[in-house]
Amino acid sequence: MTLIKSISGIRGTIGGACGDALTPVDIVKFTYAYCERMKRSGGAKSSGKKYKVVVGKDARLSGEMVENLVVGTLIACGVDVIKIGFASTPTTEMAVTGFKADGGIILTASHNPKQWNALKLLNADGEFLNAAEGQEILDCAEKENFNFSEVEELGHVTEEDYVDKHIKAVMNLDLVDRRAIKHARFKVVVDAVNSVGGVIMPQLLKELGVKVIQINCKPTGDFAHNPEPLPANLVELSEAVVKNRADLGISVDPDVDRLALISEDGTPFGEEYTLVSVADYILGEIAYRAAKKGKTSQQVCAPYKFATSSNLSSSRALRDVTERYGGVYEPAAVGEVNVVAKMKEIGAVIGGEGNGGVIYPALHYGRDAMVGVALFLSNLAHKRMTATQLRATYPDYFIAKNKIQLSDKSLIDKILNGLKDKFKDEDVNTVDGVKISFEADRKWVHLRKSNTEPIIRIYAEAPTQETAEELAKKVIDLATDIIKA
């Protein structure tokens, strides 16, 4: 059994002892702590009205049980609840602002297997809490001096649906070219791993005029395969694309914030390249419109800037594409909340993460597979290419993922500092661990320490897989020498 408490929320496996798994007691404690932090912060409460929180869930087998506990605790804390039922993470994020709520709780363990569940916590802007806010909740949950509302002050529950509003908002985006998509007469296969993607993704595609073939789209929560949308888990989707002569295969994780694509020949488009392709389309459209109007790209994309961002462990390809259009790319620390903060800081028009997470601020500041699909299909329709042809227009990079397991956590800083000194003549970024970029060879290596284990995670990227692996091995060997020194 596993229970992981962190500043980003609480997640764990269902069943087992309190404190060792995600049990009813742990769920109640954490929900109570969330309410306490919300009340202390003031939130959007005014005119003596109760606080209001949106609750959405993916289709996990434990979803109903966790939802009942969360909703019951919110009511007991004097908080009104808007239940939106089966809803993707981005749908719930948008519902928070749509209903002018004070926060939101998403019941999903994202790409984790079906025995897992989690509470993802949102602020009044429908965005994830920052580190300081998350730490407040952790501290409060440990005190256990709970004080619930009197009967006259209990919260109330209303049930709403926000799926249609989410779809409508995507459809109405200026750069979602519905006419071009419909004219292209795309045929796609959708694998929603039997979660909420099966509720919302086919509906969006049909609204866009796309012919949809569905596999694993019943929201039973009984995942048909490992829910992380990696190539090894998408064999069935790849085969279905080829068998049905489809233009594209679409895979989403259980809460629909990550998007992985399969090209028409059954090969992976590349999860890292989901964001790259969307950014290519957006930057290209902004540049084209600017040229037609005799303006700069910065003037045309106001109030945003002609800039992009992704986390430090994401592919260099986004930077290459951004600079191709004369834009500015800036990296962020790993974690969606950090990418969002960086995007706001630089006014980025598009950003996200290399795990298939597209963040398009014109819609909202959150990873959203729905808007990712709509913008990707717009790109495909405008360029009149197949997915494989489109992929060939982007630079090739390959990532090697490794880790160093240590017996003593104190060695982590010794290794990171030693490598920083070793490569001091290269481009070194220490915002999140140590990232060393070798500009001449278009390769980099990023080392980050785990928050929960004595582990250093190592991501290396280069123009070939062999070079990426060699770079990772070189760094691991150097780390071994530093330990021995």
Side-chain angles (χ1 to χ4, degrees), residues 414-457:
K414 180 180 179 181
I415 292 171
L416 296 181
N417 290 329
L419 289 171
K420 183 174 64 175
D421 291 339
K422 178 72 176 178
F423 293 101
K424 61 184 178 182
D425 293 331
E426 304 293 344
D427 181 5
V428 178
N429 186 313
T430 57
V431 168
D432 184 9
V434 174
K435 181 173 181 177
I436 307 153
S437 297
F438 305 86
E439 290 299 316
D441 298 318
R442 295 188 302 135
K443 64 184 182 180
W444 55 261
V445 60
H446 185 203
L447 298 93
R448 296 179 64 244
K449 60 183 176 182
S450 168
N451 292 324
T452 57
E453 304 172 270
I455 288 175
I456 296 179
R457 303 191 189 282

Side-chain angles (χ1 to χ4, degrees), residues 11-27:
R11 61 188 170 102
T13 51
I14 299 298
C18 296
D20 293 329
L22 189 60
T23 68
V25 174
D26 297 293
I27 293 167

Side-chain angles (χ1 to χ4, degrees), residues 119-324:
L119 277 63
K120 291 186 176 182
L121 310 176
L122 305 174
N123 61 21
D125 294 322
E127 298 166 15
F128 291 115
L129 305 183
N130 60 35
E133 293 166 338
Q135 189 60 53
E136 280 186 62
I137 292 173
L138 287 174
D139 294 342
C140 180
E142 294 302 319
K143 293 178 181 178
E144 298 190 22
N145 54 341
F146 300 159
N147 185 15
F148 293 98
S149 299
E150 301 290 339
V151 66
E152 294 87 356
E153 297 297 322
L154 296 177
H156 297 89
V157 178
T158 56
E159 295 187 14
E160 301 282 353
D161 181 83
Y162 212 81
V163 168
D164 289 343
K165 292 179 180 178
H166 184 180
I167 291 173
K168 184 177 180 181
V170 172
M171 296 278 290
N172 288 337
L173 288 168
D174 180 44
L175 290 184
V176 172
D177 196 333
R178 293 177 288 175
R179 181 177 298 180
I181 293 172
K182 185 175 182 180
H183 182 73
R185 302 177 68 180
F186 290 124
K187 177 168 46 171
V188 306
V189 183
V190 175
D191 182 350
V193 72
N194 290 335
S195 191
V196 295
V199 175
I200 190 170
M201 186 62 76
Q203 186 176 335
L204 169 67
L205 291 167
K206 289 172 184 176
E207 291 281 346
L208 288 169
V210 175
K211 182 177 180 180
V212 183
I213 298 168
Q214 303 180 39
I215 60 174
N216 305 320
C217 282
K218 295 180 180 179
T220 62
D222 190 9
F223 300 151
H225 54 75
N226 185 312
E228 188 165 14
L230 299 176
N233 303 325
L234 303 179
V235 174
E236 181 184 6
L237 176 60
S238 295
E239 292 175 346
V241 168
V242 174
K243 178 181 177 181
N244 290 281
R245 297 183 179 179
D247 299 290
L248 192 68
I250 295 171
S251 174
V252 292
D253 62 340
D255 67 327
V256 202
D257 60 359
R258 289 173 59 179
L259 172 65
L261 303 169
I262 299 295
S263 297
E264 81 287 347
D265 62 353
T267 60
F269 189 81
E271 208 178 16
E272 287 282 343
Y273 287 85
T274 298
L275 173 59
V276 174
S277 61
V278 171
D280 169 45
Y281 170 66
I282 290 171
L283 296 173
E285 282 297 302
I286 292 171
Y288 172 73
R289 295 182 184 193
K292 284 185 66 176
K293 295 181 179 180
K295 297 183 178 181
T296 66
S297 296
Q298 287 83 352
Q299 290 172 322
V300 170
C301 70
Y304 304 105
K305 296 179 181 177
F306 203 51
T308 67
S309 182
S310 61
N311 69 43
L312 285 161
S313 287
S314 295
S315 177
R316 176 194 166 109
L318 177 61
R319 169 186 159 182
D320 289 357
V321 168
T322 301
E323 293 177 348
R324 180 192 299 172

Side-chain angles (χ1 to χ4, degrees), residues 406 408-415:
L406 301 166
D408 184 355
K409 291 186 72 171
S410 66
L411 293 172
I412 293 177
D413 287 337
K414 180 180 179 181
I415 292 171

